Amino acid sequence: MSTRPDQSATAEGVSIAGAPPPLAAKEVSVVYRTRGDFGRRTARHALNRTSIEVNYGELVALVGESGSGKSTLSKVLLDLASPSAGEVAYHGKALNTLTRTEMRAYRNEVQVVFQDPAASLNPRQRIWKCLASVLELRGVRSQLELNEEITKLLTGVGLNPAESFARRFPHELSGGQQQRVAIARALAMKPRIVIADEPLSALDVSVQAQVLDLMIDHQKRTNAGYLLVTHDLNVVRAVADRVVVMYLGSVVEMGDAEQIFERPQHPYTRALLSSRLSIDASKRRIRDRPILTGDVPSTTAIPSGCAYHPRCPIAVERCSIDAPEPRVTGDGSSVACHLAE
Amino acid sequence: MLWFVARRVAQAVPMLLSVILLIFVLMQFTPGDPVQAMVGQYPVPQSFRDSLTAEYHLNAPVWTQYWYFLVNLAHGNMGYSYASHESVTSLIAERLPNTLLLAGSGYIVGIVLGGVVGLITATTKRRGFDTLMQTGVVTAYAIPSFWLGQLLVMLFAVHLGWFPTQGMAPVDSNATGIYWFLERLSYLILPMLTYAVYEGARVTRLTRVSVIDTLNQGYIVTARMKGLSRWQTVRSHVIRNSSLPVVTALGYSFAVAMGGSVLIETVFSWPGIGLLLVDSIKQRDNQVVIGLVVVIAVAVIVMNLLVDMAHALLDPRIRA
Amino acid sequence: MSLSGDSVDTAELAPDLDAPRPNTSPGWSRGNATHEWWARMRASRSGMIGLVVLILLIAIAMLAPLISPYAPNELAGESLQAPSRSHLMGTDNVGRDVLSVVIYGARIALLMGLLSAGLALLVGGLVGGVAGYAGGAIETILMRVTELFQIIPLMVLALFVVALWGSHLWLLVVAVTIAIWPLEARIVYGQVKALKDREFVQVARVAGAPHAQILAREILPNALPPVIVQVSLDAGLAILTQTSLGFLGLGDPNAASWGQLLYAAQSYLSTAWWMSVFPGLAVALAIIAFSLLGDGLNEIYNPHQRRGTLGRSR
Amino acid sequence: MRSASIAECGHEESNAVKETQLLDIHDLVVHFLREEQVVKAVDGVDLRVKPGESVGLVGESGSGKTVLSRSIARLMANAVIDKMSGQVVFQNTDLLSLSERELERRRRKSFLSMVFQDPLGYLNPTKRVGRQVAEALPPELSRRSRRHRVAELFTQVGLPGDKASLRLYPHEFSGGMRQRVLIAMALASRPRLLIADEPTTALDVTVQVQVLNTLERLHREQDMALLVITHDLALVAELCDRVYVMYAGQIVESGDVETVLSSPHHPYTQGLIASMPGQRRRMNKVDGLVGSVPNLALLPSGCRFRSRCPHAFDRCEEMPPLMPTSTGSTSRCWLSEPEAEGEDPS
């Protein structure tokens, strides 16, 4: 248990020796206790002792199905939700111990792009105002500078002519354009870490690629760290350096993208990969696909032991009793399964 | 379901205590001394003052006072009317059935009428009819109930002479059997109608919105795909589902109706608790006023309880 | 499927989320906001009728001394005279000119209605806003208290306050305010709470915007429209409550108000219909005006659930 | 002029072949009104489904594919329709000419059924699932055989058919199971054609495979034709024999799935395939699409893809008809014309 942080550090193999990762969640749990109608209490275990880190220059993909806690994890990393246990560390320092200046640095450095671009823009602000209020937080004050910066930002995300877009309200833009504005706003803070929570899933197929390109371009150019939260494995395959697979609030496997896709260790990862539809498939592949039975259980009733055991094709008795701890395997990835090699 | 009821009832208790606390707090803010707040502006003899002070522990700290206020209520003791020297409890008990008769009948007629009209306006395709009904609803909604009562009295009672103007029964009546019933009915009709117009307008509006909303749901498309006819779809998928929000709103509207009964009972001199409330206020008979406010609050809480249960019966998602 | 009359959700059938929207489509206010607002207001039948009637009422109230034939409490002639050329709406039981009382009554009704609605917005907005934004225990406590006030029927609550504290003009305003503030509190609370969790507010937090800025720039501008609609409806309710108190004989006996006239009329229903009909009409008109205005504003701010009370717009 | 060109191009099939069609949509036009604008959701669509065939209809949001599918089953609201013309011939009957009563009668037997996206919204939350499925059965059935048949349908779609499950409410099911209930309901009338509108979009990927697998099995075992409407080319690749690609209210390309996916002719199809992340080498921008789908109420003249097309030229100001290509598919692009084939940059 106590050795885990070191283990995961070696597991990722990306962090520079000694220096703590710029953004990391350590053993974070989030439990939402809701009082349902008429006093019935339910506890929703959104995250269960989850650790993850994001380093500069890498693109980490966080994959999982509904209820896997991937959105909660990104909220925790953004300090929009507070963990019930564990902590989020910014350059090795827990968020709630940051000084004012450090907090400001964190707020500057870590930015977000949400799923629904229409909801993430204030409907009553013109694009200019929307970007300006962010730039002002960075200390850009004069009208001239603001105009200049906003033009640069909008052109940077492919919204030309910038002046015309700056004058508009969000609803006058298409979904793809709105998402570009949302990205521009995140970039206005010159972030070194960007957390993108399902940034593509609200967009049309033909627009997804454009938006993805834009983010990848920024990531490569500025050497920023990206945490891409998604359920689309095809996207992950195309762009990720490292992959973290979550199931019901726990990380079941993480490792180098190449390794995860070529040699998945956890049975859930394997099931996830085999359910990826592909247009290369020779016809009727659907008929031959191995089927994972059952649905994702609710986070209010997480199975005992390994949360995956009721659906797992290779589960043994032990799996229903104790929960497997993440273990580093031969090729440097980390997997939480009793039966993994 | 049983659990649901038990939990819901258990929750009503603190609610009740808090409402009584609210009433108590409002009384605390009354200018003048507390005895005066309780009895109103009667010149009361010192002996009565002392007995009240002792009964409600008015010299004790506020929390103790609240406790004895509650204890007295729990024993059904709401004090004595200084005007009539009767116990407040018996005064209210005497008047309550009359209010229930009037409000209940008006409520039922209004709900039935409003439900039917709302369903028709929502499903009909004739725009003109819909607009007409809608305009009617807005108008009915905006007309003060007491004024509508006055208009009805002037038209049907004074001008046409069809119904009596005021009261609940003639002073000296020897009608029996069916005649007795008809006589009572003739007194009931106008105030009941006033109630029903108001309640009906509200229910029409609610039902219309709710039915239109239900018709836009996916399962209506599913029903049509299954080959159900229009009427079958309405019967089996629309009515129950669209009654959910209406039932919820009825809980709130009951409170409004209780408020409205004060006005309607005044117009028609109907001897219910609403009229009692107004008379007591005018006579500064505050013991009665306090008792009435408590009783009305209890009635509203009970009604909300019933509505929640009806809701749970209609909607399986709420149970469990 | 032809069951539904007019409101089929075509957005579901062909969402054009990704198509640039033309400038004429309805939505939140935009370029030339005032201009746009006015254009849409003019397109709303309910809204325009409400606005015109309301402006008329306000004009009457303001110009009362100029247009009213008599002073409100002046004994203008014999009592209980039917409408005639010299007394267009007749005279009341003490010989006042009904028309004059109705005209001056507009002053009291509008003043007291708007005053109580405004005060209720102030109290309710503060309670609801704090509860919605703060969350946690503060939220629970404040909203429970708001609920309590709603258990006692509005009218009964107002009566209770009058019974305890008396019925001077300003106490009536307080009574009505106490009765209707929970309505405002709930709507403000609902708005603020929903907006607080919206993505664009969270983005502002992530960028490090201070609370004051988030409230002022992100939450308030978006919470305001539905609140304005509610205030318009509640102003009508305030007038109704205040007139009702007057009708019960609990209004200020010295102020010439609609409610007071209706109270007096109660004793003369068989002889003097004009004492009831004209002030009642005035009350109904004022309430309809506020309610139509509210509908119109609702159409402007929520164009997608356009369901005007007077049929469709345009 | 446009309809004439559609008639002479398109599928050049003899009458004999035509008669074997299960569903034959000819020049279907559905325009509806929204906020005083005419939305040309379906604008001259030809589409055919043979008995037992599996056909995909691919399009992005705003392409009109949902309106098309609803129009086939006549599940569009009449109130907002601005214009509806053309033919939807199903089993030799033009559905558009049927009266509502006749339509209701036919929906109950061996007709066509639909499965919708978002299963929760399409199930009545206050009714037990068993009863909802039973409603779709012919009314003349006895109570016993009704119950029996519902249990049978449940097992067919992979749900437990025991009494307790039939008495559950929709909210007591998971998303995947709800979708199965909808499928069971659609199967109740033993349809010859099942139209599935985004059947798995709301589901998790592991569950998506389960549901698609069930659909495919039912299609195969019951010889039921499938018309799958989706935005996901991969889903079509795995499930369908033929595919129609829809853009801005029109079919822009159609043909065998393998042919269309391996050698797409229309620049839109090419762009769509290139946009699929799995198709691209890392960081290597192949001809992805630029811009976004046009507003169906404000369509440009000529080829509707013109503004986004990398190959647009003068002639594109004129609307191209659907024309046969060298690979046997059809494409609505001047560059796909046989004589222009040489210049086709694909």
Side-chain angles (χ1 to χ4, degrees):
Chain A
M1 254 308 298
S2 57
T3 54
R4 262 203 64 203
D6 305 273
Q7 271 187 349
S8 57
T10 43
E12 273 101 47
V14 223
S15 45
I16 307 142
L23 189 62
K26 292 178 186 160
E27 301 263 317
V28 167
S29 298
V30 173
V31 184
Y32 292 111
R33 287 183 203 286
T34 47
R35 195 200 280 246
D37 275 339
F38 313 113
R40 176 167 282 196
R41 283 168 179 279
T42 47
R44 203 156 63 72
H45 297 266
L47 281 182
N48 184 22
R49 295 204 294 122
T50 303
S51 300
I52 191 175
E53 59 185 62
V54 185
N55 294 292
Y56 298 135
E58 66 167 351
L59 194 149
V60 184
L62 184 57
V63 292
E65 297 176 277
S66 62
S68 63
K70 52 192 197 305
S71 277
T72 310
L73 183 55
S74 57
K75 288 239 161 68
V76 168
L77 287 171
L78 289 162
D79 199 28
L80 289 174
S82 37
S84 329
E87 61 175 36
V88 171
Y90 172 62
H91 288 292
K93 236 179 136 186
L95 281 189
N96 48 16
T97 63
L98 294 186
T99 64
R100 251 189 128 80
T101 336
E102 285 168 332
M103 193 65 196
R104 198 170 307 140
Y106 162 76
R107 282 305 189 197
N108 275 331
E109 186 163 309
V110 184
Q111 287 303 311
V112 65
V113 177
F114 281 117
Q115 170 174 5
D116 181 355
S120 66
L121 298 174
N122 185 341
R124 303 186 72 83
Q125 271 182 356
R126 288 169 207 283
I127 306 304
W128 190 92
K129 183 82 192 162
C130 164
L131 294 174
S133 55
V134 177
L135 287 167
E136 278 165 12
L137 292 170
R138 218 186 66 195
V140 186
R141 290 264 183 264
S142 79
Q143 191 78 10
L144 206 71
E145 264 183 290
L146 281 174
N147 280 336
E148 204 173 286
E149 285 276 336
I150 287 169
T151 311
K152 233 196 286 178
L153 281 168
L154 287 176
T155 323
V157 295
L159 293 176
N160 277 316
E163 292 80 36
S164 141
F165 279 100
R167 268 199 302 272
R168 297 198 209 169
F169 280 96
H171 70 266
E172 294 169 317
L173 306 180
S174 72
Q177 290 167 340
Q178 287 170 342
Q179 195 62 301
R180 285 169 193 268
V181 173
I183 292 172
R185 181 180 47 190
L187 302 192
M189 299 299 279
K190 299 198 191 299
R192 303 212 50 208
I193 297 214
V194 175
I195 295 178
D197 189 352
E198 299 270 13
L200 307 177
S201 50
L203 303 178
D204 266 324
V205 185
S206 64
V207 181
Q208 287 183 2
Q210 305 167 22
V211 171
L212 186 63
D213 280 341
L214 188 64
M215 289 195 294
I216 301 307
D217 199 49
H218 171 257
Q219 195 252 331
K220 297 286 164 207
R221 221 180 45 237
T222 62
N223 203 31
Y226 262 67
L227 181 68
L228 180 68
V229 180
T230 181
H231 64 275
D232 188 339
L233 287 161
N234 291 326
V235 169
V236 176
R237 182 75 182 119
V239 301
D241 299 313
R242 207 151 59 79
V243 179
V244 178
V245 183
M246 290 188 73
Y247 186 75
L248 280 181
S250 305
V251 172
V252 293
E253 183 164 5
M254 64 166 110
D256 188 71
E258 206 63 32
Q259 280 163 3
I260 295 274
F261 276 89
E262 299 308 324
R263 295 180 299 282
Q265 310 256 9
H266 197 284
Y268 176 68
T269 313
R270 274 184 236 138
L272 211 54
L273 290 176
S274 76
S275 57
R276 181 163 61 122
L277 303 182
S278 161
I279 95 167
D280 295 330
S282 57
K283 245 167 45 174
R284 300 253 185 262
R285 273 270 310 276
I286 193 77
R287 191 191 294 176
D288 317 316
R289 283 190 185 280
I291 302 180
L292 183 58
T293 51
D295 281 289
V296 183
S298 152
T299 43
T300 52
I302 292 182
S304 64
C306 171
Y308 185 59
H309 85 263
R311 300 175 77 190
C312 182
I314 58 170
V316 294
E317 208 186 326
R318 186 185 168 199
C319 300
S320 61
I321 304 160
D322 40 296
E325 291 291 326
R327 291 183 293 129
V328 179
T329 59
D331 53 8
S333 60
S334 142
V335 59
C337 177
H338 295 306
L339 302 162
E341 289 308 306
Chain B
M1 187 68 195
L2 211 64
W3 261 112
F4 173 84
V5 174
R7 266 205 310 270
R8 193 61 193 77
V9 171
Q11 267 182 329
V13 175
M15 187 93 96
L16 185 62
L17 292 180
S18 319
V19 173
I20 295 170
L21 178 65
L22 173 66
I23 292 168
F24 181 78
V25 167
L26 284 176
M27 282 167 58
Q28 294 297 314
F29 281 106
T30 307
D33 78 300
V35 175
Q36 213 68 55
M38 294 185 97
V39 298
Q41 291 183 345
Y42 286 94
V44 285
Q46 191 57 40
S47 59
F48 188 79
R49 275 179 177 277
D50 293 342
S51 73
L52 260 188
T53 309
E55 191 175 350
Y56 286 92
H57 297 253
L58 294 182
N59 293 327
V62 174
W63 282 110
T64 325
Q65 288 186 40
Y66 176 57
W67 171 249
Y68 284 101
F69 187 71
L70 277 179
V71 167
N72 279 310
L73 278 181
H75 287 121
N77 173 13
M78 296 193 275
Y80 288 85
S81 156
Y82 205 76
S84 66
H85 299 283
E86 269 184 86
S87 97
V88 172
T89 316
S90 66
L91 264 181
I92 292 176
E94 189 186 312
R95 297 288 195 99
L96 195 60
N98 299 344
T99 294
L100 289 182
L101 171 68
L102 175 57
S105 58
Y107 213 50
I108 290 168
V109 171
I111 288 170
V112 172
L113 267 178
V116 171
V117 173
L119 188 64
I120 293 173
T121 51
T123 50
T124 193
K125 275 196 254 172
R126 250 172 268 153
R127 192 57 59 78
F129 177 68
D130 188 35
T131 308
L132 186 74
M133 289 319 295
Q134 287 286 96
T135 314
V137 164
V138 179
T139 317
Y141 217 60
I143 292 178
S145 56
F146 56 90
W147 185 53
L148 179 65
Q150 289 189 339
L151 291 181
L152 288 178
V153 167
M154 284 190 287
L155 182 63
F156 292 104
V158 175
H159 188 68
L160 294 172
W162 291 355
F163 302 104
T165 51
Q166 289 191 325
M168 197 178 160
V171 191
D172 49 342
S173 167
N174 41 22
T176 48
I178 184 80
Y179 294 105
W180 179 87
F181 178 75
L182 284 178
E183 199 175 78
R184 290 300 170 106
L185 195 64
S186 72
Y187 278 88
L188 179 63
I189 280 185
L190 286 185
M192 186 193 75
L193 209 64
T194 315
Y195 248 118
V197 165
Y198 207 59
E199 199 55 41
R202 185 202 317 281
V203 175
T204 304
R205 200 174 201 175
L206 284 169
T207 310
R208 181 174 177 276
V209 171
S210 176
V211 169
I212 287 177
D213 196 48
T214 308
L215 287 174
N216 280 323
Q217 298 295 314
Y219 52 80
I220 299 299
V221 179
T222 312
R224 301 294 282 158
M225 181 211 73
K226 284 191 268 191
L228 298 191
S229 70
R230 264 157 151 283
W231 170 238
Q232 280 172 321
T233 309
V234 168
R235 201 187 51 198
S236 120
H237 292 277
V238 176
I239 291 180
R240 180 185 179 137
N241 291 56
S242 57
S243 65
L244 289 173
V246 179
V247 166
T248 314
L250 282 182
Y252 171 67
S253 96
F254 176 78
V256 181
M258 289 306 287
S261 64
V262 175
L263 298 162
I264 294 175
E265 287 179 7
T266 304
V267 175
F268 294 95
S269 297
W270 185 269
I273 57 170
L275 194 58
L276 181 62
L277 179 62
V278 176
D279 289 344
S280 307
I281 292 175
K282 283 185 187 163
Q283 297 169 358
R284 304 279 168 199
D285 198 354
N286 279 8
Q287 288 272 55
V288 184
V289 174
I290 294 161
L292 279 169
V293 173
V294 171
V295 167
I296 290 172
V298 170
V300 171
I301 289 175
V302 170
M303 188 65 187
N304 286 344
L305 203 70
L306 292 177
V307 163
D308 276 349
M309 286 172 196
H311 204 162
L313 271 181
L314 285 169
D315 191 345
R317 287 168 293 186
I318 294 185
R319 272 175 251 160
Chain C
M1 224 276 303
S2 51
L3 271 170
S4 47
D6 50 0
S7 52
V8 171
D9 190 7
T10 46
E12 185 212 343
L13 293 173
D16 59 352
L17 268 180
D18 223 67
R21 317 255 164 101
N23 224 7
T24 51
S25 78
W28 298 87
S29 79
R30 66 184 69 87
N32 241 334
T34 338
H35 200 87
E36 187 77 25
W37 186 91
W38 178 235
R40 266 187 275 154
M41 187 70 188
R42 281 217 317 230
S44 153
R45 193 168 5 147
S46 313
M48 278 315 276
I49 296 177
L51 197 64
V52 167
V53 175
L54 195 61
I55 289 174
L56 211 70
L57 280 173
I58 292 176
I60 288 173
M62 292 193 4
L63 302 176
L66 298 178
I67 54 176
S68 148
Y70 299 93
N73 285 328
E74 181 185 347
L75 299 184
E78 277 180 56
S79 61
L80 296 177
Q81 281 188 319
S84 65
R85 191 160 299 180
S86 53
H87 299 287
L88 287 175
M89 293 183 182
T91 58
D92 73 355
N93 56 323
V94 292
R96 293 183 303 176
D97 179 54
V98 172
L99 175 63
S100 304
V101 179
V102 168
I103 289 175
Y104 273 93
R107 283 191 151 185
I108 296 191
L110 287 177
L111 193 70
M112 289 180 60
L114 292 176
L115 208 59
S116 346
L119 276 174
L121 174 65
L122 214 66
V123 178
L126 205 66
V127 172
V130 169
Y133 195 72
I138 298 178
E139 171 184 354
T140 315
I141 293 170
L142 286 180
M143 288 326 284
R144 280 290 143 88
V145 170
T146 310
E147 265 172 49
L148 281 190
F149 275 85
Q150 287 200 301
I151 286 178
I152 305 176
L154 189 150
M155 190 63 212
V156 177
L157 191 57
L159 281 174
F160 188 53
V161 172
V162 170
L164 291 177
W165 299 348
S167 55
H168 302 291
L169 218 52
W170 66 269
L171 277 174
L172 288 178
V173 171
V174 171
V176 175
T177 304
I178 286 180
I180 64 174
W181 75 267
L183 300 174
E184 317 283 1
R186 293 196 89 121
I187 189 114
V188 173
Y189 166 75
Q191 285 299 319
V192 171
K193 189 162 174 64
L195 285 166
K196 196 182 71 170
D197 289 335
R198 285 280 293 278
E199 279 94 334
F200 65 83
V201 177
Q202 297 198 332
V203 172
R205 282 174 65 192
V206 168
H211 286 289
Q213 185 180 329
I214 291 178
L215 268 174
R217 282 199 190 157
E218 316 289 340
I219 292 184
L220 278 185
N222 287 294
L224 224 46
V227 173
I228 292 173
V229 172
Q230 185 68 31
V231 169
S232 173
L233 297 174
D234 289 349
L237 191 64
I239 290 180
L240 178 65
T241 313
Q242 178 245 330
T243 312
S244 302
L245 290 173
F247 161 75
L248 293 172
L250 299 170
D252 193 320
N254 300 318
S257 70
W258 297 339
Q260 186 209 34
L261 203 52
L262 285 162
Y263 171 59
Q266 179 69 20
S267 311
Y268 302 93
L269 288 183
S270 51
T271 47
W273 57 268
W274 54 91
M275 273 178 72
S276 165
V277 168
F278 295 114
L281 218 53
V283 181
L285 207 63
I287 295 169
I288 290 186
F290 277 113
S291 129
L292 288 182
L293 183 66
D295 278 344
L297 291 171
N298 198 32
E299 281 177 48
I300 292 176
Y301 294 129
N302 304 315
H304 293 296
Q305 24 171 290
R306 215 184 258 183
R307 235 171 248 156
T309 356
L310 290 185
R312 303 211 105 194
S313 301
R314 254 167 280 188
Chain D
M1 118 124 226
R2 202 189 66 238
S3 58
S5 56
I6 285 172
E8 69 201 32
C9 318
H11 305 270
E12 313 233 313
E13 280 154 316
S14 65
N15 279 343
V17 182
K18 248 180 186 164
E19 260 158 37
T20 65
Q21 302 292 346
L22 180 66
L23 176 72
D24 190 345
I25 300 175
H26 180 65
D27 196 21
L28 181 66
V29 175
V30 183
H31 294 176
F32 61 84
L33 286 171
R34 185 168 64 209
E35 279 151 15
E36 285 126 55
Q37 289 178 315
V38 178
V39 180
K40 297 178 179 171
V42 177
D43 211 13
V45 164
D46 283 23
L47 188 148
R48 287 177 190 128
V49 182
K50 289 195 198 68
E53 194 184 22
S54 169
V55 176
L57 176 64
V58 176
E60 297 177 87
S61 63
S63 63
K65 60 186 195 305
T66 299
V67 175
L68 175 58
S69 67
R70 294 284 173 96
S71 312
I72 298 171
R74 287 267 310 262
L75 289 171
M76 281 281 291
N78 300 337
V80 288
I81 301 285
D82 177 57
K83 181 184 174 197
M84 191 160 178
S85 67
Q87 287 171 311
V88 178
V89 179
F90 180 73
Q91 292 177 327
N92 301 322
T93 318
D94 184 4
L95 298 183
L96 296 190
S97 67
L98 288 183
S99 73
E100 197 154 312
R101 184 149 300 174
E102 176 65 13
L103 208 63
E104 277 159 18
R105 204 178 58 75
R106 289 181 63 116
R107 280 195 182 121
R108 285 187 176 269
K109 42 183 162 184
S110 181
F111 192 59
L112 56 83
S113 275
M114 276 191 87
V115 173
F116 308 94
Q117 193 183 353
D118 173 31
L120 189 56
Y122 284 90
L123 290 171
N124 187 338
T126 66
K127 279 193 118 153
R128 303 181 192 280
V129 286
R131 288 194 55 185
Q132 295 196 50
V133 175
E135 267 187 346
L137 295 170
E140 60 270 14
L141 247 54
S142 75
R143 258 183 91 160
R144 251 208 30 243
S145 52
R146 201 173 262 266
R147 192 173 300 158
H148 183 76
R149 179 91 175 95
V150 172
E152 190 183 280
L153 284 167
F154 264 57
T155 24
Q156 263 179 23
V157 297
L159 287 169
D162 60 299
K163 237 179 176 170
S165 313
L166 299 185
R167 287 181 58 80
L168 291 175
Y169 288 98
H171 72 276
E172 294 171 292
F173 280 111
S174 65
M177 286 162 89
R178 286 186 207 123
Q179 192 65 66
R180 286 166 191 275
V181 173
L182 266 188
I183 296 175
M185 211 177 276
L187 292 181
S189 61
R190 301 183 198 277
R192 300 322 311 145
L193 172 63
L194 184 68
I195 302 175
D197 186 359
E198 301 273 9
T200 55
T201 309
L203 304 178
D204 279 320
V205 282
T206 53
V207 182
Q208 174 181 29
V209 177
Q210 298 169 15
V211 171
L212 289 179
N213 211 297
T214 307
L215 271 181
E216 198 272 344
R217 178 171 53 78
L218 293 165
H219 154 66
R220 195 158 26 90
E221 287 174 2
Q222 310 202 350
D223 196 31
M224 171 181 73
L226 267 183
L227 177 58
V228 184
I229 290 135
T230 178
H231 65 274
D232 189 352
L233 273 174
L235 195 153
V236 168
E238 301 236 357
L239 194 61
C240 300
D241 308 318
R242 278 196 308 120
V243 61
Y244 289 87
V245 181
M246 199 165 175
Y247 184 78
Q250 295 176 322
I251 301 294
V252 292
E253 184 157 5
S254 72
D256 285 342
V257 167
E258 266 174 298
T259 317
V260 170
L261 292 184
S262 58
S263 53
H265 281 271
H266 197 281
Y268 175 64
T269 319
Q270 292 166 0
L272 215 50
I273 293 172
S275 296
M276 302 221 22
Q279 287 304 297
R280 305 187 303 163
R281 294 288 133 259
R282 270 171 88 141
M283 288 307 80
N284 186 10
K285 287 176 223 168
V286 194
D287 295 311
L289 289 163
V290 293
S292 54
V293 183
N295 186 333
L296 286 172
L298 304 165
L299 288 169
S301 64
C303 174
R304 291 178 182 172
F305 187 61
R306 189 163 44 128
S307 60
R308 300 173 76 188
C309 183
H311 315 300
F313 62 114
D314 295 350
R315 207 173 164 194
C316 299
E317 281 168 38
E318 191 189 331
M319 171 76 76
L322 265 177
M323 44 197 135
T325 66
S326 53
T327 51
S329 56
T330 59
S331 161
R332 190 185 287 280
C333 177
W334 293 120
L335 293 172
S336 314
E337 257 187 321
E339 63 265 35
E341 198 71 25
E343 305 154 29
D344 191 342
S346 67

